[in-house]
Amino acid sequence: MIASSGTPGLGLDEFSRVDLRSLLGAAVSFDEPLARRTSMRIGGPAAAFAVIKNVRDLAALLRWCKAERRAWTIFGLGSNLLVADAGFPGVAIRLAGDFTRVVISDTLVSAGAAVPVLALCREAAKAGLRGAEALVGIPGTVGGAVRMNAGTDLEIGALVERVEVMLPGEDARTVATPDFAYRRCSLAPDAVVCGAQLRLKRGDTKMIGAELRRRIVQRNATQPVESPNAGSIFRNPPGDHAARLIETAGCKGRRIGDAEVSVKHANFIVNRKAATCRDVLALIEDVRAAVERAHGIELQLEVHVL
Ligand SMILES: Cc1cc2nc3c(=O)[nH]c(=O)nc-3n(C[C@H](O)[C@H](O)[C@H](O)COP(=O)(O)OP(=O)(O)OC[C@H]3O[C@@H](n4cnc5c(N)ncnc54)[C@H](O)[C@@H]3O)c2cc1C
């Protein structure tokens, strides 16, 4: 028997590595550090990291994970993820290639799941299509935005007509019309978003461009974009703002290790330099307890912990 050469504890033995290599070739790497792939710059390695460029390879990889009972997850741009210091003991999947296409037909924008939201907004603006401006500055992919129903004063779900998904064990994509709610969509938890079709409206290219710039300036003024972070840590409770509750509970600037509640926006935790996931999780619990003491409200996480 060949001994495992994987990182202790990550649990991908040599047989599995050989299997994955023969399935995906150079598209798979092992013990891949995830910190540099998240906006928070935190997290240990993934046992395997696969860059998947087409539906056929995605189907094959999901089938392999199912058969081998391996955990897997889709990694968009990692802008809403907090990865454990010990890393992820499964296959982290990044979509690329065919999943990066944008096709515009009249007012319908079809975007692959790996298209950055910023690129989607720019393509729509170039084509004289308005409606997506509120999404500009969300630093994730279309797939991540659909999964999270990301948005500001408008959420992506309000624009989505159809979503193409792939489920483990299936060979082809299916079309879904999910329901969306605040930071949620009704897709099955193991559905991989392959792409989405968004219905926009005709508009004036110059005005759309000006609105995109205005929103980016406003974002930069109110969010700690200069330090690594993962966006809003907590969901807004009904009728209130997590940032207001955190600030009035006296948590702004609170620190554990190098993790700090942003002084610019209280619902952001920034990584001042070498924060660990453990630091961030401890600070999250500290803030949650302070808010509960001050306001009697238990904040729920928006950020996904991997
Ligand atoms: C500075 C900053 C500002 C932000 N501002 C906003 C904001 O204004 N509004 C807002 O809503 N969010 C905001 N966010 C959070 C984040 O950008 C969004 O949630 C974004 O949609 C996440 O996309 P992603 O590609 O980075 O997903 P990831 O962070 O990589 O993943 C998030 C979740 O989605 C899943 N996922 C990703 N891609 C797919 C796919 N193709 N199929 C199925 N599941 C998938 C992942 O498995 C994970 O569970 C902000 C974050 C930062 C850092």
Side-chain angles (χ1 to χ4, degrees), residues 185-204:
C185 88
S186 63
L187 291 173
D190 60 349
V192 177
V193 177
C194 295
Q197 293 193 333
L198 282 71
R199 179 68 70 184
L200 303 182
K201 294 194 172 98
R202 294 245 157 260
D204 175 78

Side-chain angles (χ1 to χ4, degrees), residues 3-301:
S4 166
S5 60
T7 303
L10 282 185
L12 204 56
D13 60 33
E14 196 59 36
F15 289 122
S16 301
R17 288 173 179 234
V18 169
D19 256 11
L20 274 178
R21 188 65 89 201
S22 64
L23 194 68
L24 301 172
V28 66
S29 52
F30 301 106
D31 306 325
E32 176 77 16
L34 291 177
R36 63 175 183 229
R37 296 184 181 275
T38 68
S39 58
M40 195 78 181
R41 300 283 178 263
I42 285 177
F49 191 88
V51 179
I52 296 297
K53 295 185 176 164
N54 57 57
V55 167
R56 196 198 53 214
D57 286 354
L58 179 61
L61 177 55
L62 294 178
R63 204 178 283 285
W64 182 87
C65 290
K66 198 172 179 188
E68 298 295 320
R69 302 164 76 94
R70 293 282 172 199
W72 58 272
T73 190
I74 302 287
F75 228 80
L77 285 174
S79 64
N80 198 50
L81 283 177
L82 184 56
V83 178
D85 299 315
F88 176 62
V91 185
I93 303 170
R94 155 100 13 114
L95 301 179
D98 291 353
F99 300 101
T100 60
R101 294 202 182 120
V102 179
V103 177
I104 299 182
S105 164
D106 192 25
T107 55
L108 194 65
V109 181
S110 304
V115 172
V117 171
L118 180 62
L120 171 84
C121 294
R122 286 198 174 135
E123 290 293 321
K126 258 200 291 180
L129 295 178
R130 68 183 169 84
E133 299 89 297
L135 306 179
V136 77
I138 295 177
T141 58
V142 167
V146 168
R147 166 60 73 199
M148 299 299 302
N149 190 19
T152 52
D153 44 323
L154 176 126
E155 292 161 337
I156 194 168
L159 304 172
V160 169
E161 275 201 356
R162 309 187 325 161
V163 178
E164 285 178 350
V165 297
M166 174 159 275
L167 290 161
E170 293 184 352
D171 286 322
R173 286 167 288 188
T174 48
V175 171
T177 51
D179 294 324
F180 290 96
Y182 172 59
R183 299 296 176 266
R184 288 192 199 291
C185 88
S186 63
L187 291 173
D190 60 349
V192 177
V193 177
C194 295
Q197 293 193 333
L198 282 71
R199 179 68 70 184
L200 303 182
K201 294 194 172 98
R202 294 245 157 260
D204 175 78
T205 302
K206 268 195 182 155
M207 282 172 69
I208 300 165
E211 179 61 5
L212 292 181
R213 285 189 293 279
R214 185 190 73 76
R215 285 186 176 261
I216 288 173
V217 168
Q218 187 188 29
R219 204 172 251 280
N220 291 345
T222 54
Q223 297 183 353
V225 287
E226 56 290 336
S227 307
N229 68 77
S232 294
I233 294 290
F234 297 103
R235 298 158 61 83
N236 287 325
D240 212 331
H241 290 278
R244 187 194 75 80
L245 296 169
I246 297 166
E247 186 168 351
T248 52
C251 297
K252 251 189 175 179
R254 195 172 284 194
R255 268 177 88 164
I256 292 185
D258 260 354
E260 181 182 277
V261 177
S262 167
V263 288
K264 205 167 170 187
H265 190 310
N267 197 18
F268 282 56
I269 289 180
V270 296
N271 176 0
R272 288 179 57 99
K273 194 169 180 193
T276 61
C277 182
R278 195 188 158 108
D279 294 336
V280 177
L281 290 175
L283 189 55
I284 283 172
E285 284 320 310
D286 197 46
V287 168
R288 217 199 299 250
V291 167
E292 191 154 13
R293 273 195 308 275
H295 303 290
I297 292 174
E298 193 187 336
L299 291 175
Q300 305 296 321
L301 276 188

